[in-house]
Amino acid sequence: MFILGINAYHGDASAAITKDGQLIAAVEEERFNRKKHCAGFPSSAVRYCLQAANISVLELDHVGISRDPSAHLHKKILFSITRLPNLSGLIAARLANAAKVHDLREELARALGVSPDIPAKFHKVEHHRAHMASCFLVSPFNRAAILSIDGFGDFVSTMWGIGENNHIDVLGQVEYPHSAGIVYTATSQYLGFPKYGDEGKVMGLAPYGRPRYLEQFREIIRTDNGGFKLNLDYFRHVSEGVDMTWEDGSPTIGRIFSEKFIETFGPMRLPGEPLASIHEDIAASLQARLEEVSFDILNKLHQETKSDQLCLAGGVAYNSVMNGKILLNTPFREVFVQPAAGDSGTALGVCYYVHNIVLQQPRSFVMEHAYTGPEFTNGQIEGVVRRTDFGCRELSDQELTLLAAQAVADGKIVGWFQGRMEFGPRALGNRSIIVDPRRAQMKDILNARIKKREPFRPFAPSVLEECVADYFEQTHPSPAMLMVYQVKQDKRAVIPAVTHVDGSGRLQTVSRSNNPRYYQLISDFARLTSVPVVLNTSFNEDEPIVCTPEEALNCFQRTRMDVLFLGNYMLWR
Ligand SMILES: [Fe+2]
């Protein structure tokens, strides 16, 4: 049985496909059309999923989308009627999107250029139920508490509950206009980071500041009856309406924070203006308040569910600083965050919602890694490589990891393109740029030569799973690079390029079973240097992560990367 899950008309459009409950493929549309966080319909991602499953669209048994415009309908109508003069533009855009969700069969047929007589059964899965399914149903837990927390989806911003076998019971939710994700986005805009997905930059800025505006943020987002409520005086999304536009396919959100925000904190920082200590302190206060609110919900959720296992999803689950503190601030003992915890992951959630909950099939799959995207054979890579003027050599598997490790140890910037592309925002050793974490200057070199990121943003370490305790204060696995832990005091000087200003690191734990080739590369590096850690950043230059060998080569050509390992081929300038 084939099930296709789709996230469409929402940021990070994506598709996923399962066969008899096993995940065959999951991928974001941005990797194909090269438009960051693109929305719209994920035509190329769907085509890839069908190709990976080796079927035509007519062979699909079920198709689902992670939107249900009829969910919470009475609240939406009530809200629209009371605010219509201010919200008409937004409501019109939402109605247009809702109509497309209703016509999913036609939209899918149009995207694939086939007739709309697609025999599959079509489903609409409410956004947060898709988020909850995307983590719990592919987690290693039979029973777990679940928290989905983001900006908004289907009029809800936060939903929590309990999962058991193939059931999910919703225990509570926070509805529009109240949203922790919106507070983070609004403050990011105020701090001069207005782009969709810029919240991660503010999280990186926070450790430079002190949370001296915590009281103000406690006023902006108040704890309320098991959840939270916004003080709407600080926001425009209700009083004036905030439009989301799709310029060139990538989403842009209008200004969310109100004049009251400016009265409280002073003039906003414009993008590109120098960062002052007030900006760092606001970021630190925001981060501290997000953690307070989240741990408050999680502590109550633990009380209610009596489960020591937690599954996390939603855009706020990309806040790896918060994730890394959960075990320290709540009674939970194990945390599962699916690699595509944000909206792209809802396509995966739809597949398993339909499989396990609608069709009542038993659970049979655990998502142990994120390598669910396109891959290319050495033969295909050779065809691409031969057309270039770079130095090139084919290597055995053993030579490949040894030479790559040697290049990293020699201070080279190494492109590393192997196997199937990652699902979710993090490069996890298949579409990565790798450098030596022992060299403090590598951060500036990487930024000057390739990444061009803001200098305050940290780079992340990949560490062999069995060595985590030697380097970090916590040891709970972090295979999707979605946990930030403190680096041990005596190791901070050993791996300065991946130790943030507050002594933390957003680590990826690498096991032999999840990624044998990447594991071998780090092991070879450890043999050369006695350090089982490398710096791992995504293979891109201000664009979506590269997907194909051609894109990897283009990036190599444009930037000042030193050496590129494409499958079993080594290329140099
Ligand atoms: Fe979401």
Side-chain angles (χ1 to χ4, degrees):
M1 176 178 357
F2 291 100
I3 304 174
L4 177 71
I6 292 170
N7 173 43
Y9 320 117
H10 202 99
D12 291 319
S14 64
I17 192 164
T18 58
K19 179 186 183 186
D20 302 329
Q22 299 302 301
L23 183 62
I24 304 290
V27 66
E28 284 95 353
E29 183 72 5
E30 64 159 31
R31 306 294 164 83
F32 298 102
N33 72 8
R34 314 304 299 158
K35 290 173 181 166
K36 262 190 176 179
H37 303 295
C38 77
F41 194 88
S43 311
S44 302
V46 167
R47 261 187 230 109
Y48 168 70
C49 283
L50 293 172
Q51 180 199 325
N54 198 22
I55 58 167
S56 87
V57 65
L58 302 177
E59 292 167 85
L60 286 168
D61 300 282
H62 297 269
V63 179
I65 187 166
S66 55
R67 293 280 301 277
D68 185 358
S70 63
H72 316 291
L73 189 62
H74 58 290
K75 287 167 197 149
K76 288 179 196 172
I77 290 170
L78 189 66
F79 202 87
S80 306
I81 290 168
T82 53
R83 318 274 171 171
L84 200 56
N86 291 327
L87 280 180
S88 50
L90 185 61
I91 294 295
R94 288 210 172 149
L95 287 176
N97 272 347
K100 288 181 192 161
V101 172
H102 279 301
D103 296 338
L104 182 59
R105 193 184 300 266
E106 284 77 13
E107 289 290 312
L108 177 61
R110 193 172 313 142
L112 297 175
V114 299
S115 105
D117 309 323
I118 299 170
K121 190 166 165 29
F122 280 72
H123 307 261
K124 292 190 280 283
V125 180
E126 194 261 336
H127 185 82
H128 279 275
R129 280 176 171 78
H131 269 312
M132 290 171 96
S134 80
C135 54
F136 173 66
L137 294 174
V138 300
S139 77
F141 311 135
N142 289 328
R143 185 174 185 278
I146 314 170
L147 173 64
S148 169
I149 177 165
D150 69 4
F152 290 115
D154 285 329
F155 232 57
V156 169
S157 76
T158 311
M159 189 180 272
W160 55 90
I162 177 83
E164 192 157 2
N165 299 322
N166 57 352
H167 299 280
I168 292 175
D169 285 325
V170 174
L171 298 173
Q173 65 186 28
V174 176
E175 290 157 13
Y176 189 90
H178 306 288
S179 160
I182 281 293
V183 176
Y184 220 100
T185 304
T187 311
S188 300
Q189 292 177 337
Y190 169 83
L191 290 173
F193 300 102
K195 284 193 192 160
Y196 195 90
D198 268 357
E199 293 84 353
K201 297 184 183 177
V202 174
M203 183 184 78
L205 181 65
Y208 290 88
R210 287 183 302 117
R212 60 191 175 97
Y213 299 105
L214 185 56
E215 279 313 319
Q216 284 84 338
F217 276 93
R218 284 182 179 145
E219 175 57 26
I220 289 169
I221 176 168
R222 302 166 176 167
T223 305
D224 174 78
N225 194 26
F228 55 84
K229 260 192 160 40
L230 303 191
N231 179 341
L232 294 170
D233 294 346
Y234 288 87
F235 301 91
R236 293 175 70 244
H237 60 296
V238 177
S239 57
E240 297 168 62
V242 170
D243 278 324
M244 196 164 188
T245 52
W246 312 96
E247 198 181 309
D248 195 29
S250 296
T252 308
I253 305 174
R255 198 187 101 179
I256 303 171
F257 62 89
S258 72
E259 287 304 308
K260 173 104 175 165
F261 216 97
I262 294 169
E263 282 162 31
T264 306
F265 297 111
M268 73 173 284
R269 173 184 172 265
L270 295 172
E273 280 185 353
L275 278 162
S277 66
I278 182 175
H279 305 123
E280 297 164 354
D281 293 344
I282 290 171
S285 310
L286 165 73
Q287 178 66 29
R289 183 58 184 147
L290 175 81
E291 290 169 16
E292 281 187 348
V293 167
S294 304
F295 300 152
D296 206 45
I297 294 174
L298 288 174
N299 281 313
K300 288 191 184 98
L301 183 58
H302 184 270
Q303 264 178 20
E304 208 173 339
T305 60
K306 304 280 186 287
S307 170
D308 286 348
Q309 281 69 41
L310 172 68
C311 295
L312 263 187
V316 177
Y318 285 145
N319 195 298
S320 46
V321 173
M322 175 196 81
N323 296 351
K325 294 179 184 170
I326 288 174
L327 297 182
L328 306 175
N329 289 277
T330 74
F332 288 107
R333 301 303 352 131
E334 286 180 277
V335 184
F336 177 78
V337 197
Q338 189 256 110
D343 288 329
S344 63
T346 60
L348 172 80
V350 163
C351 291
Y352 285 93
Y353 189 92
V354 171
H355 183 73
N356 296 129
I357 293 177
V358 177
L359 302 174
Q360 286 292 299
Q361 294 299 302
R363 287 174 52 202
S364 58
F365 175 76
V366 174
M367 189 148 178
E368 284 172 338
H369 60 72
Y371 312 111
T372 58
E375 65 183 331
F376 301 86
T377 63
N378 276 318
Q380 289 170 309
I381 290 170
E382 190 193 357
V384 178
V385 162
R386 294 289 173 218
R387 295 199 292 270
T388 73
D389 298 331
F390 296 116
C392 174
R393 212 184 117 190
E394 189 178 358
L395 306 171
S396 70
D397 289 355
Q398 207 179 7
E399 288 173 313
L400 175 74
T401 54
L402 260 175
L403 286 176
Q406 186 67 59
V408 174
D410 289 345
K412 302 263 196 309
I413 298 182
V414 172
W416 183 250
F417 180 105
Q418 305 292 336
R420 295 188 75 176
M421 184 183 64
E422 296 88 345
F423 185 41
R426 302 273 92 87
L428 299 169
N430 279 7
R431 300 288 185 278
S432 290
I433 294 169
I434 295 162
V435 302
D436 189 343
R438 302 171 304 159
R439 298 165 188 258
Q441 73 276 21
M442 282 320 290
K443 204 178 131 172
D444 295 335
I445 294 174
L446 260 182
N447 268 332
R449 285 168 57 177
I450 298 171
K451 303 292 287 193
K452 318 264 179 353
R453 306 201 318 188
E454 295 81 355
F456 63 83
R457 292 170 64 192
F459 284 100
S462 296
V463 54
L464 294 184
E465 192 175 60
E466 59 272 25
C467 304
V468 178
D470 300 335
Y471 280 80
F472 291 89
E473 299 285 357
Q474 295 183 76
T475 56
H476 184 289
S478 173
M481 206 185 255
L482 290 173
M483 298 279 182
V484 170
Y485 298 153
Q486 287 292 304
V487 179
K488 287 201 158 169
Q489 279 287 350
D490 62 325
K491 295 295 192 214
R492 291 179 187 179
V494 179
I495 49 171
V498 291
T499 302
H500 201 14
V501 62
D502 61 346
S504 67
R506 190 190 66 199
L507 72 164
Q508 174 197 4
T509 53
V510 181
S511 67
R512 190 188 289 281
S513 60
N514 281 358
N515 193 334
R517 193 166 263 194
Y518 191 42
Y519 180 92
Q520 192 57 48
L521 164 62
I522 305 172
S523 301
D524 289 348
F525 181 77
R527 252 193 300 277
L528 293 169
T529 64
S530 305
V531 174
V533 184
V534 295
L535 183 158
N536 170 13
T537 186
S538 51
F539 199 141
N540 57 352
E541 181 208 21
D542 195 28
E543 61 181 331
I545 297 176
V546 299
C547 175
T548 65
E550 287 89 347
E551 284 153 11
L553 264 170
N554 280 339
C555 185
F556 180 64
Q557 205 149 21
R558 278 197 315 271
T559 63
R560 290 158 63 201
M561 216 178 287
D562 295 302
V563 55
L564 170 59
F565 294 86
L566 261 182
N568 281 65
Y569 289 87
M570 177 171 79
L571 287 92
W572 62 91
R573 289 171 189 281

